[in-house]
Amino acid sequence: TDNGAAEELAKRFDMKYVCVTRGSKGAGLWDADSQTWVEHPGFTLPGDGAVDTVGAGDAFLARLLQGLLEEEDPLDVLREANALGAFVATQSGATPEHDHKAIASILNTVV
């Protein structure tokens, strides 16, 4: 399982966090300090779905790292990272203009 593999990697390499990304199917995060695994299933993309996935993983990782470094709730961070990656995938190009309204719309999607 993803969580078992993440836990093993964290132990073997003395890591605090291990994130397993699944593209449109979301991601999971192992927190070695609290010994917890949290998952987010990802979001259904609005409209025609993915337009250009270049940069989506980078956007996901940027939000994930920011949230973890600021010690935010891991599940909230994972949810927001998935939403940001989904937003970037709906845009053309790797660095689209940040659209708070579009990202909020994705966050409000029931998964």
Side-chain angles (χ1 to χ4, degrees):
T1 63
D2 287 344
N3 59 327
E7 181 180 5
E8 180 59 34
L9 279 171
K11 284 179 186 175
R12 180 178 293 175
F13 296 104
D14 193 29
M15 295 183 287
K16 179 174 178 162
Y17 296 108
V18 175
C19 184
V20 177
T21 60
R22 302 182 191 116
S24 65
K25 293 183 172 33
L29 181 70
W30 173 256
D31 180 338
D33 286 350
S34 65
Q35 296 287 295
T36 57
W37 171 257
V38 294
E39 291 185 88
H40 188 276
F43 292 96
T44 301
L45 297 177
D48 295 330
V51 171
D52 184 351
T53 60
V54 174
D58 296 319
F60 170 93
L61 184 58
R63 177 61 186 113
L64 180 72
L65 290 174
Q66 175 199 19
L68 295 177
L69 287 170
E70 294 180 3
E71 298 182 355
E72 296 176 34
D73 178 75
L75 186 55
D76 290 341
V77 172
L78 203 56
R79 180 176 167 269
E80 291 172 11
N82 273 286
L84 190 55
F87 164 73
V88 171
T90 66
Q91 308 300 302
S92 202
T95 56
E97 185 173 332
H98 200 85
D99 183 340
H100 293 285
K101 185 176 178 180
I103 296 165
S105 177
I106 292 169
L107 280 166
N108 288 327
T109 302
V110 176
V111 290

